[in-house]
Amino acid sequence: MKFLDELRTLREQINFKGKISDISGYNKLIIAGMGGSGIAGKIFQELYTGMPLFNLDGYHVPDYVDSNTLFIATSYSGNTEETLSSAREAMDRGARVVAITSGGKLASLVKEAIKIPSGIQPRSAMGYLMMPLLNTFMDLDDAVIGRIGDLLWDLDEDNEYIRSEAGKLAADKSIPIVYGHSPFRWVAYRWKTQFNENSKVMAYSNYFPELNHNELVPLKDSYGLDNFRFYIFDGGMDTQTEKRVRFTENSTGIGFHRIPVKGETNIEKIFYLIHYGDYLTYHLALERGIDPTDVSILQDLKRSIARNNE
Amino acid sequence: MKFLDELRTLREQINFKGKISDISGYNKLIIAGMGGSGIAGKIFQELYTGMPLFNLDGYHVPDYVDSNTLFIATSYSGNTEETLSSAREAMDRGARVVAITSGGKLASLVKEAIKIPSGIQPRSAMGYLMMPLLNTFMDLDDAVIGRIGDLLWDLDEDNEYIRSEAGKLAADKSIPIVYGHSPFRWVAYRWKTQFNENSKVMAYSNYFPELNHNELVPLKDSYGLDNFRFYIFDGGMDTQTEKRVRFTENSTGIGFHRIPVKGETNIEKIFYLIHYGDYLTYHLALERGIDPTDVSILQDLKRSIARNNE
C-alpha cells in the first residue's frame, strides 16, 4: 500500500471495536511493546491512571509481575523479539497475557489475542493498537469517535500547508526537537520516532515541566542551537505550564514553532496531533526525495539478530 | 563551595544512612521529583522492581494513589513547585508521604522527612538523594559501599584523561548523544542533564533496544549527524544488546565513543558512570570557559513563576 493510503486508514482504524473482556480482579497493568507498536501504550499511560501501569520496552518483566497482573503484549507483526521474551516471562509468572497483534509468533503463544488487520507498517497502525486499550479502559462516546474522524478527515483532505513547514526543515537541514506536556508527552516522542522512520531525520523530544529543570540552561547558552528547530503543541496547557513556556521563550530568545491543538477532549487532541505529525514527517521525506515507507535497515537488523541467535 | 569540592562530596554521601522505616503494607510506590532531585528515583527504578513504581515528574498524582501507596517526595531544596503540589495531592488521598529533602516547605508539609545536608547544588547531591532509597529497599553490603568509594576516589584523584574527551567536544562544538541500556538507561539521561546544567551544552539520551526500532534509521540516513558525538556505556550488556550495538555501528558507520563500565555490582557500576559523567561535563564547562556551578536561569524561572503565582 502506498504510504499516503496507509496514513489515510487511520480514519477507519478508530472504528476498530476490539476490547479485552473482564478486566476485574487485576491490580496492575503492564503494556509491553517496542517502537511503533509500543508507542500506543506509552501515549495511553497519560490517559488512564486507574491502576499502576508500566510501559515495558525491553526483554524482561519486573519482579512484581504475578497472577494479579494484566499483561498486554502489543506487537503489530507479532514477531518482536523483546515483546515475545517479556510475554513468555509474564506467562511463566502466572500473569494474564493478552496480545494485540496482527498474527506472528505472539498470536500462537498467547491464549487471548485481539487480532488487528495486517498489511501496513506498524507505525501506521496506531489506531488499531490504541483502540483496544481505549475501548477496554475508558468510556468512549461515539460522538468522540465521530469528532476524531472529522479532525483526521480535515488533515487528510488538506495538508499542503504542513508541507511548507517541512520545506523549512529540509531547506535548513534542521534537527527537529519536539516539546510536549501532559497529556501529550508521548505524542512528542511519537513525532520524534516518525521523523526518524518516515523522514530519516534525527530528532529528539522532551517535555514540560521537567525540561525546565535542565534543558532550559543550554537553550540559553549552548553552541550548535542553529542546527535545531523547536516545536511545541500550542494548546491544552495548564496555567503553570503556560508560564513556563513563556519564560523559556523570553529568557532564551528561542522562538518555538507552535502546532495548533484541535479537538474537545484529550483523546481527540491526541489523535489530531499524531496525524499532524504523520503528515509533517511524510512531507519532510518527500522534500528530501526519500521514500517514507522504506525502513529496510530495521528488517536487516531483525534478520541479522535472528541469524546470530541460531 | 567550589564545584570540584561539591563533586568530591559524593564519596561521603554514599555513607549516608537515612532510611524509611517499616515499608510493609504498601503495594505501590511513587517517587516524585524534578530534574537533579528526580534523577535519583529514575535511576533507582531500574534497580528495584519489587512493587509497581512510578516516577512522577509533574504536578499531579495518578488516580490510583490511595492509602496503600508509599509516596516518596524528593526535592533537595524542599521548594520544588511540582513536587510540593503532588505531595499535597498524595496526602489528600491518604497515601503515606515521606520526603527526602534538606528542608524548605516540603520538610514542614510532611509528617516524615529524611533530612539530608544542605549547601550544595541539587545535582551534586545524587548520593544523599539515592542512598535512602537503596538503604530502604535493597540489601546493601558494606563491601559494596567500600568498593563504590574506591571507584569514586579513583575518579576524584585522576580525571585529567576525561578532560581530553571534553576537549574534543569543545573543539568540534559537538552535541553529545548518550546511549544507555538497562540498568543504565537513566544514567544516560543523567549525563544529558549534567551536560545541560554543568557544561551549558545541548545534549540528548536514548537507550537500547528501543532506539533500534526508530533512531537506527536516521543514524544511517539523516543530515546533520556531524554535529553529534555519540557515547555508549561499554559494559554490562546482555548478548542481544551487544549484537544490537554491533549491528548499529556496522550498518551506520558511526563510531560510538565507549565509556568503560567499572565495578562488580550494578550499583557500583551506576555510581561509577554517574561520577564519570560528572567529570566529563565539568571539564567541558572548563574547556568552554564557563562556570559549571552557575544555573542562575533556573533560579530566575522559579522567581518569575512564584511572582506570577501571587
Side-chain angles (χ1 to χ4, degrees):
Chain A
M1 200 185 292
K2 281 171 65 180
F3 197 76
L4 200 56
D5 294 326
E6 277 196 19
L7 288 188
R8 287 182 174 147
T9 65
L10 188 57
R11 290 209 302 260
E12 298 153 33
Q13 293 180 41
I14 56 169
N15 294 307
F16 186 72
K17 297 297 180 204
K19 68 181 281 188
I20 301 169
S21 58
D22 191 14
I23 55 163
S24 59
Y26 299 96
N27 62 13
K28 46 202 166 318
L29 183 59
I30 292 190
I31 306 181
M34 307 299 302
S37 295
I39 186 65
K42 284 176 168 126
I43 291 174
F44 177 71
Q45 77 171 314
E46 284 210 299
L47 291 171
Y48 175 76
T49 64
M51 67 175 111
L53 187 169
F54 181 68
N55 285 103
L56 178 61
D57 51 8
Y59 288 93
H60 305 296
V61 301
D63 287 343
Y64 61 74
V65 170
D66 60 13
S67 60
N68 298 119
T69 305
L70 176 56
F71 185 100
I72 304 175
T74 58
S75 167
Y76 186 65
S77 68
N79 294 319
T80 313
E81 178 179 274
E82 299 93 320
T83 310
L84 285 166
S85 159
S86 65
R88 281 194 196 99
E89 286 189 6
M91 291 170 81
D92 287 347
R93 287 166 176 272
R96 177 179 171 197
V97 178
V98 181
I100 302 175
T101 183
S102 71
K105 292 179 192 163
L106 187 61
S108 316
L109 178 72
V110 301
K111 287 203 200 100
E112 301 174 74
I114 295 174
K115 288 290 273 297
I116 57 181
S118 61
I120 52 178
Q121 299 274 335
R123 64 188 182 280
S124 301
M126 187 78 218
Y128 290 135
L129 293 158
M130 186 85 147
M131 292 314 298
L133 300 174
L134 298 177
N135 294 337
T136 302
F137 295 97
M138 319 214 25
D139 267 329
L140 262 198
D141 201 315
D142 278 349
V144 172
I145 299 293
R147 289 199 299 266
I148 297 173
D150 292 342
L151 290 165
L152 300 181
W153 178 277
D154 288 346
L155 283 164
D156 287 339
E157 290 301 299
D158 178 15
N159 50 68
E160 279 301 308
Y161 62 98
I162 300 177
R163 184 197 290 263
S164 72
E165 179 56 37
K168 287 174 201 156
L169 282 166
D172 296 342
K173 296 195 191 308
S174 296
I175 302 292
I177 305 293
V178 191
Y179 287 158
H181 58 274
S182 288
F184 314 126
R185 290 179 176 197
W186 291 100
V187 179
Y189 179 72
R190 162 73 174 186
W191 277 41
K192 170 251 190 301
T193 61
Q194 291 286 77
F195 276 118
N196 290 170
E197 291 191 70
N198 295 343
S199 322
K200 283 77 175 165
V201 162
M202 190 54 88
Y204 288 99
S205 64
N206 206 338
Y207 52 86
F208 287 95
E210 170 67 8
L211 77 86
N212 267 166
H213 294 263
N214 34 65
E215 197 161 318
L216 173 58
V217 179
L219 282 176
K220 181 157 181 288
D221 287 326
S222 183
Y223 50 63
L225 294 182
D226 287 349
N227 301 317
F228 298 108
R229 192 170 174 92
F230 296 88
Y231 294 94
I232 60 165
F233 301 143
D234 191 16
M237 286 182 200
D238 58 31
T239 317
Q240 294 309 91
T241 306
E242 271 179 11
K243 285 183 202 165
R244 289 176 176 281
V245 171
R246 206 177 314 130
F247 179 90
T248 304
E249 282 194 296
N250 291 343
S251 62
T252 63
I254 288 180
F256 296 141
H257 298 276
R258 287 162 187 273
I259 307 298
V261 180
K262 295 189 182 174
E264 293 178 31
T265 63
N266 282 334
I267 295 177
E268 291 160 55
K269 292 171 185 170
I270 282 171
F271 272 101
Y272 176 78
L273 286 173
I274 287 169
H275 214 41
Y276 198 108
D278 290 344
Y279 277 109
L280 180 56
T281 56
Y282 163 74
H283 283 302
L284 179 53
L286 299 194
E287 292 287 327
R288 295 189 67 207
I290 273 178
D291 175 6
T293 311
D294 178 33
V295 287
S296 51
I297 192 171
L298 302 185
Q299 275 82 51
D300 293 345
L301 169 65
K302 280 164 198 165
R303 269 195 299 273
S304 164
I305 286 184
R307 198 167 52 238
N308 284 315
N309 286 348
E310 279 161 13
Chain B
M1 200 184 292
K2 281 172 64 181
F3 197 75
L4 200 56
D5 294 327
E6 278 197 17
L7 289 188
R8 287 182 175 146
T9 65
L10 188 57
R11 290 209 301 262
E12 298 153 32
Q13 294 181 39
I14 56 171
N15 294 307
F16 186 73
K17 297 298 180 202
K19 69 181 281 186
I20 301 169
S21 57
D22 191 15
I23 55 163
S24 60
Y26 300 97
N27 62 13
K28 43 202 166 328
L29 183 59
I30 292 190
I31 306 180
M34 307 300 301
S37 295
I39 186 65
K42 285 178 167 120
I43 291 175
F44 177 72
Q45 77 171 312
E46 284 210 299
L47 290 171
Y48 174 75
T49 64
M51 67 174 111
L53 187 170
F54 181 68
N55 285 101
L56 178 61
D57 51 8
Y59 288 93
H60 305 296
V61 300
D63 286 343
Y64 60 73
V65 170
D66 61 13
S67 59
N68 299 119
T69 305
L70 176 58
F71 185 99
I72 304 175
T74 57
S75 167
Y76 186 65
S77 69
N79 294 319
T80 312
E81 178 179 274
E82 299 92 320
T83 310
L84 284 166
S85 159
S86 65
R88 280 193 196 101
E89 286 189 6
M91 290 170 82
D92 287 346
R93 286 165 177 273
R96 178 179 170 198
V97 178
V98 181
I100 302 176
T101 183
S102 72
K105 292 178 193 163
L106 186 61
S108 316
L109 177 72
V110 301
K111 287 203 199 100
E112 300 174 74
I114 295 174
K115 289 290 271 300
I116 56 180
S118 62
I120 53 178
Q121 299 274 334
R123 64 188 182 282
S124 302
M126 187 76 218
Y128 290 135
L129 293 158
M130 186 83 148
M131 292 314 298
L133 300 173
L134 298 177
N135 293 337
T136 302
F137 294 97
M138 317 212 28
D139 268 328
L140 262 199
D141 202 315
D142 278 349
V144 172
I145 299 294
R147 287 199 300 266
I148 297 173
D150 292 342
L151 289 165
L152 299 181
W153 178 276
D154 288 346
L155 284 164
D156 287 339
E157 291 301 298
D158 179 16
N159 50 68
E160 278 302 309
Y161 63 98
I162 300 177
R163 184 197 290 263
S164 73
E165 180 56 38
K168 286 173 201 158
L169 282 165
D172 295 343
K173 295 195 191 307
S174 296
I175 303 292
I177 305 292
V178 190
Y179 286 159
H181 57 274
S182 289
F184 315 126
R185 291 178 175 196
W186 291 98
V187 179
Y189 179 71
R190 161 74 175 186
W191 277 42
K192 170 252 190 301
T193 61
Q194 291 286 77
F195 276 119
N196 290 170
E197 291 192 69
N198 295 343
S199 323
K200 284 78 176 166
V201 161
M202 189 56 86
Y204 288 100
S205 64
N206 206 337
Y207 52 87
F208 287 95
E210 170 68 7
L211 77 86
N212 267 167
H213 294 263
N214 35 65
E215 196 161 319
L216 173 58
V217 179
L219 282 177
K220 182 158 181 288
D221 287 327
S222 183
Y223 50 62
L225 294 183
D226 287 349
N227 301 317
F228 298 108
R229 191 169 174 90
F230 295 88
Y231 293 95
I232 60 164
F233 301 143
D234 191 15
M237 288 182 198
D238 59 30
T239 318
Q240 293 310 91
T241 305
E242 271 179 10
K243 283 184 203 166
R244 289 177 175 281
V245 170
R246 206 178 314 132
F247 180 89
T248 304
E249 282 195 296
N250 291 342
S251 62
T252 64
I254 288 180
F256 296 142
H257 298 276
R258 288 162 187 272
I259 307 298
V261 180
K262 294 188 183 175
E264 292 179 30
T265 63
N266 282 333
I267 296 178
E268 292 161 53
K269 291 171 184 169
I270 282 172
F271 272 101
Y272 176 80
L273 286 173
I274 287 170
H275 214 41
Y276 198 109
D278 291 344
Y279 278 109
L280 180 56
T281 56
Y282 163 74
H283 282 304
L284 180 53
L286 299 194
E287 292 287 326
R288 296 188 68 205
I290 274 177
D291 175 6
T293 312
D294 177 34
V295 288
S296 50
I297 193 171
L298 302 186
Q299 274 84 50
D300 294 345
L301 169 65
K302 281 164 198 166
R303 268 194 299 273
S304 163
I305 287 184
R307 197 168 51 240
N308 283 316
N309 285 347
E310 280 161 13

